[in-house]
Amino acid sequence: MSTRHPIELRDTQGELRRFHRRVVVAGLAVLFGFSLLGLRLHWLQVVRHEDLATQAEANRISVLPIVPNRGLIVDRNGVVLANNYAAHTLEITPNKIKDLEATIDALAELVEITPVHRRRFKRLMADGKRFESLPIRSKLSDEEVARFTAQRFRFPGVDIKARLFRHYPYGELASHVLGYIGRINRNEQAAIEDSEDAANYQGTEYIGKLGVEQRYERELHGLTGFEQVETSASGRPVRRLSASPPTPGQTIRLSIDIKLQALVEQMFGERRGALVAIDPRNGEVLAFVSKPTFDPNLFVDGIDVENWKALNESIDKPLLNRALRGTYPPGSTFKPFMAMAALNTGKRTPGQITMDNGSFVFGNHVFRSHGDHGLGAVDLYRSIVKSSNVYYYQLANDMGVDLMHAQLEPFGFGRKTGIDLQGEVTGVLPSTAWKRATYKRPEHQRWYAGETISLGIGQGYNNFTMLQLAYAMSTLVSGGQRHEPRIVREIEDPVHHRRVSVPGTELPALPLRTEHVAAVLRGLQGVTLEGTATRVFAGATYTSGGKTGTAQAVGIRQNEKYNKARIDEYLRDHSLYTAFAPVEAPQVALAVIVENAGFGAEAAAPIARRVLDYLLTGQYPSEDDLALVREGRVAAPIGTPRQAAEVPLPALGPAPEQSVAGGPTAEAPAASATAGPSPAGASAVDAVPAVPPVAPPASAAASSPARAPLPASRPAAPGPFPTAPASAPRR
């Protein structure tokens, strides 16, 4: 029996329709896909063509900044005080290194990398950015460069670069004037990025920190250049396409004479102090000395911990610019200005007599004078020549503190002089308003009449810088003419060598009567002829005037006498002297202090005499004389003086290649018309914790129960007679 299979009928037409639909859908999908691709291509190739072409070109071409050469700093005679030199550095870009420690270990087999270098590199990496190139070794030798170059293929992200380093040829000489440069820290970087100079500092890693380097940073930096470099896929430069050269920084010409500066620093020796000499005719600073000094070369590539600790913790505070920021009681050098104020206000006439019996009694307090004897009848001339304390005690009492403040503030006391250096302090010229603003407790804000007395002899709350004292003397001897002091004399364009003078701003003259000025200047000249500086200026071939001062570093009890031998060095009196010359047409006014050195005529005045000899007669002290000046054991010059023009320039410091690579970085503080008198023939040579703005340390005053410290930056809580000297300062 046969079985029949049913016949299967296929819907051929239906299958064809479904197939056609599928083909159409697939075709539409493909068309849609190609349409999207076409639109994307149109977007990339047409709409964003220029932008993407620029990006592609940027991937192929790198624009690199070219840091300009930093400008030179020279003295008034063209002697180079700060220049640059090139050296190789081994640098690492951290984000290009997988194992940083292993890479550094491998590099240490080729070049010397000490633990100090490693710590310094980590410090820089913490302060910087990981994609920046950071040096791990500076100032490589030629042999080290050759060894690394031969093995360079092993170290992607490591390279050798040639960089410029700042160099100060004379080392510590004039360091407080020059300042130094150091790596830009985060705060400085933020300030630069917010300024209009941001583009000009691309690629710059160093900036001026103190002194002229800081104040004239913009002029010294120059203009950054740029170069276009074609790079490979790995980012390595292949060839230079174009370049815009940088413009080097301008040359800064100072008003100081480096030979005179060196002479003054040599006369100070190991002693602490400051000296400022100004040309009263135009405000040019002829000498600006702060001792002790420091070597600015230590800071150029990051100062090592040991040197930083030695500088920062030294009891002598070498980082403190004493001429600009050290404040001191002026002692008897204040008396000529008190005399000028007395004449201006009519409180005294030149011939008016005050009886000096050796002491001045106010209430129950006795203000003593020079020892136990008086000077008898004293007029204005004798009050300056013999330095009568009683005369000025009485004068201060008659004037009152506020009148004294009003008369003396225009001379520059208690305010900034406007010198072209940053960091100047105001000092303290007291007044009742000042005391109310200084103290918080009402009973301390009150001004006591007894506090006024000691102000007349430059003690009490009075605290000024040597810059202020020299500026005041310059104003007085010029008859009231005032010029803002200037350290920089000229700025020279390095391309066209054009010089532009930088004169000090001339301020409104003080209304001083000619006969009053003449009366005070006669007294100042008398100091050198028959007064306390007679022995020092014996044999001088020019006329000069001056005033000695001996200022207490700390007070003594009323019944106690000053005994230098029994007092710790840092508690002894300061030696001061102010001077001007020649009397008939002053060309220089100066102020000098030698800390804890005793009488003004013993330590400070001999230094001033030799500065005037140098400036006015071109004479340079003999070696024997210099040795005795450093010890405070000579008055007038001894031996045969030398001609300043024949004395060689100061000895240069170590050459740059002898410098040791920097240790761990430690940030230190951020603590001029007529040519002045200068000896001819000076040849040109080619080439942090903050420091307190107060008087230098007086050791631990508590160690001497008989002496209490006087006020410095902030006076102690006042009383009826808080600072009146029981035993008056020596003259």
Side-chain angles (χ1 to χ4, degrees):
M1 182 175 173
S2 63
T3 302
R4 291 176 173 242
H5 294 282
I7 298 174
E8 182 179 356
L9 299 177
R10 302 181 62 182
D11 187 1
T12 306
Q13 293 299 323
E15 290 180 356
L16 287 174
R17 285 194 299 271
R18 287 195 297 272
F19 176 76
H20 288 157
R21 284 197 299 269
R22 291 171 183 168
V23 170
V24 170
V25 170
L28 290 175
V30 171
L31 180 62
F32 179 74
F34 275 101
S35 298
L36 290 178
L37 185 60
L39 290 173
R40 181 62 178 169
L41 290 174
H42 176 78
W43 171 258
L44 296 176
Q45 296 290 340
V46 178
V47 177
R48 295 198 59 199
H49 172 75
E50 292 186 6
D51 182 37
L52 294 176
T54 301
Q55 291 186 32
E57 188 70 8
N59 290 332
R60 184 180 70 89
I61 299 174
S62 296
V63 179
L64 305 176
I66 306 175
V67 180
N69 289 353
R70 194 169 179 85
L72 303 179
I73 301 177
V74 302
D75 83 336
R76 68 184 299 120
N77 298 310
V79 179
V80 177
L81 308 180
N83 54 19
N84 312 292
Y85 69 96
H88 290 99
T89 62
L90 183 64
E91 305 199 5
I92 298 175
T93 306
N95 72 330
K96 295 183 178 180
I97 306 296
K98 293 182 179 180
D99 190 338
L100 189 59
E101 288 298 328
T103 299
I104 294 176
D105 290 340
L107 288 171
E109 298 175 0
L110 300 177
V111 300
E112 182 183 12
I113 299 178
T114 67
V116 172
H117 298 132
R118 293 173 186 258
R119 291 195 299 269
R120 176 179 174 275
F121 178 77
K122 290 179 179 179
R123 171 68 179 265
L124 293 175
M125 193 165 61
D127 291 341
K129 300 173 183 177
R130 296 188 63 85
F131 57 80
E132 290 180 338
S133 175
L134 302 174
I136 190 169
R137 261 293 310 277
S138 299
K139 305 167 189 173
L140 273 67
S141 66
D142 292 341
E143 182 181 349
E144 289 175 320
V145 171
R147 283 203 301 268
F148 172 79
T149 302
Q151 299 291 322
R152 193 196 174 288
F153 65 91
R154 296 171 47 199
F155 301 100
V158 183
D159 210 344
I160 284 182
K161 295 186 178 181
R163 292 191 181 272
L164 286 174
F165 289 87
R166 197 64 160 168
H167 181 58
Y168 303 94
Y170 293 97
E172 295 188 2
L173 181 58
S175 58
H176 287 286
V177 176
L178 300 174
Y180 61 88
I181 68 168
R183 279 190 168 269
I184 299 174
N185 59 36
R186 290 183 177 180
N187 292 335
E188 292 164 340
Q189 184 63 46
I192 291 173
E193 291 174 354
D194 292 339
S195 72
E196 59 184 17
D197 291 330
N200 194 38
Y201 275 82
Q202 291 293 319
T204 300
E205 297 180 348
Y206 298 89
I207 197 172
K209 299 285 186 176
L210 287 177
V212 172
E213 293 278 23
Q214 180 185 37
R215 172 61 179 80
Y216 288 88
E217 166 64 30
R218 177 173 294 184
E219 291 80 1
L220 287 166
H221 179 267
L223 297 177
T224 299
F226 295 91
E227 64 177 352
Q228 288 186 323
V229 178
E230 185 177 2
T231 58
S232 64
S234 62
R236 296 195 57 77
V238 176
R239 61 191 177 99
R240 177 187 293 180
L241 301 178
S242 63
S244 173
T247 301
Q250 301 180 79
T251 297
I252 302 296
R253 184 177 294 267
L254 307 183
S255 58
I256 68 169
D257 179 345
I258 198 61
K259 192 181 292 187
L260 172 61
Q261 185 86 8
L263 170 61
V264 177
E265 293 189 15
Q266 187 178 1
M267 287 191 289
F268 268 95
E270 299 300 318
R271 298 176 295 180
R272 302 168 301 281
L275 179 146
V276 177
I278 299 176
D279 188 336
R281 299 169 297 179
N282 52 33
E284 286 188 1
V285 176
L286 306 175
F288 194 88
V289 174
S290 175
K291 286 284 290 185
T293 57
F294 63 92
D295 187 355
N297 290 302
L298 294 173
F299 293 88
V300 170
D301 199 33
I303 187 170
D304 61 88
V305 172
E306 291 75 16
N307 279 316
W308 170 248
K309 184 176 181 180
L311 290 173
N312 195 46
E313 297 182 2
S314 170
I315 192 174
D316 291 330
K317 296 191 179 299
L319 293 177
L320 172 63
N321 188 335
R322 285 165 162 81
L324 191 71
R325 298 178 59 82
T327 58
Y328 309 85
S332 293
T333 62
F334 197 58
K335 292 174 180 176
F337 304 100
M338 284 292 296
M340 195 71 240
L343 296 175
N344 285 342
T345 58
K347 294 294 183 179
R348 295 289 187 275
T349 63
Q352 189 172 338
I353 298 297
T354 296
M355 291 303 299
D356 182 348
N357 295 317
S359 64
F360 178 81
V361 180
F362 186 86
N364 296 323
H365 194 85
V366 177
F367 293 83
R368 295 165 57 188
S369 188
H370 306 294
D372 298 321
H373 64 278
L375 297 173
V378 176
D379 61 4
L380 186 137
Y381 176 83
R382 287 198 77 218
S383 75
I384 297 175
V385 173
K386 300 301 181 182
S387 198
S388 169
N389 283 345
V390 172
Y391 185 96
Y392 291 98
Y393 287 146
Q394 181 66 62
L395 176 59
N397 187 52
D398 292 345
M399 292 185 67
V401 62
D402 286 334
L403 181 58
M404 291 165 56
H405 182 278
Q407 287 291 312
L408 296 172
E409 192 271 345
F411 283 93
F413 294 115
R415 65 176 177 84
K416 296 180 179 180
T417 65
I419 191 171
D420 53 340
L421 291 176
Q422 296 182 19
E424 182 183 5
V425 298
T426 60
V428 175
L429 179 66
S431 66
T432 54
W434 165 83
K435 196 174 184 187
R436 286 194 301 270
T438 302
Y439 295 101
K440 295 182 179 180
R441 299 178 62 179
E443 61 270 27
H444 293 165
Q445 293 177 336
R446 176 186 173 189
W447 186 271
Y448 296 91
E451 295 176 306
T452 306
I453 309 303
S454 58
L455 298 179
I457 62 168
Q459 292 285 170
Y461 293 119
N462 287 323
N463 268 278
F464 312 119
T465 65
M466 288 303 104
L467 173 60
Q468 290 172 320
L469 202 53
Y471 174 77
M473 179 61 76
S474 173
T475 301
L476 176 62
V477 303
S478 63
Q481 300 297 317
R482 298 184 298 173
H483 301 268
E484 286 187 347
R486 307 298 291 179
I487 284 285
V488 172
R489 190 183 191 199
E490 294 175 334
I491 298 179
E492 181 178 334
D493 175 6
V495 178
H496 303 98
H497 302 288
R498 288 192 295 261
R499 295 183 184 179
V500 177
S501 62
V502 186
T505 302
E506 187 171 356
L507 304 175
L510 300 184
L512 305 180
R513 294 177 60 177
T514 304
E515 61 270 26
H516 291 167
V517 174
V520 175
L521 297 192
R522 277 197 302 271
L524 291 173
Q525 184 177 9
V527 170
T528 66
L529 299 177
E530 54 178 312
T532 51
T534 304
R535 292 178 57 246
V536 175
F537 283 87
T541 59
Y542 51 86
T543 58
S544 73
K547 186 69 191 77
T548 55
T550 307
Q552 291 180 344
V554 292
I556 63 174
R557 294 175 179 175
Q558 183 168 353
N559 297 321
E560 183 185 6
K561 289 189 176 182
Y562 177 81
N563 188 331
K564 176 180 177 180
R566 297 177 58 185
I567 299 175
D568 179 83
E569 177 190 350
Y570 289 89
L571 302 179
R572 296 172 187 167
D573 293 343
H574 300 316
S575 174
L576 296 98
Y577 192 74
T578 56
F580 72 99
V583 171
E584 55 275 10
Q587 300 176 32
V588 57
L590 64 82
V592 56
I593 185 170
V594 184
E595 290 181 19
N596 312 117
F599 300 159
E602 289 183 356
I607 294 177
R609 163 69 193 272
R610 285 143 184 86
V611 171
L612 296 181
D613 285 352
Y614 180 98
L615 290 171
L616 300 179
T617 68
Q619 291 186 345
Y620 201 97
S622 66
E623 289 291 349
D624 292 340
D625 186 54
L626 283 176
L628 293 176
V629 171
R630 284 193 294 270
E631 298 174 4
R633 295 173 49 206
V634 67
I638 65 169
T640 303
R642 297 166 283 179
Q643 287 300 309
E646 298 174 359
V647 176
L649 288 167
L652 295 173
E657 56 270 21
Q658 295 174 325
S659 301
V660 179
T665 301
E667 283 297 338
S672 297
T674 305
S678 178
S683 59
V685 174
D686 224 0
V688 206
V691 178
V694 296
S699 207
S703 63
S704 178
R707 296 170 69 89
L710 288 177
S713 59
R714 182 179 180 86
F721 302 97
T723 56
S727 177
R730 274 58 58 193
R731 291 168 284 184

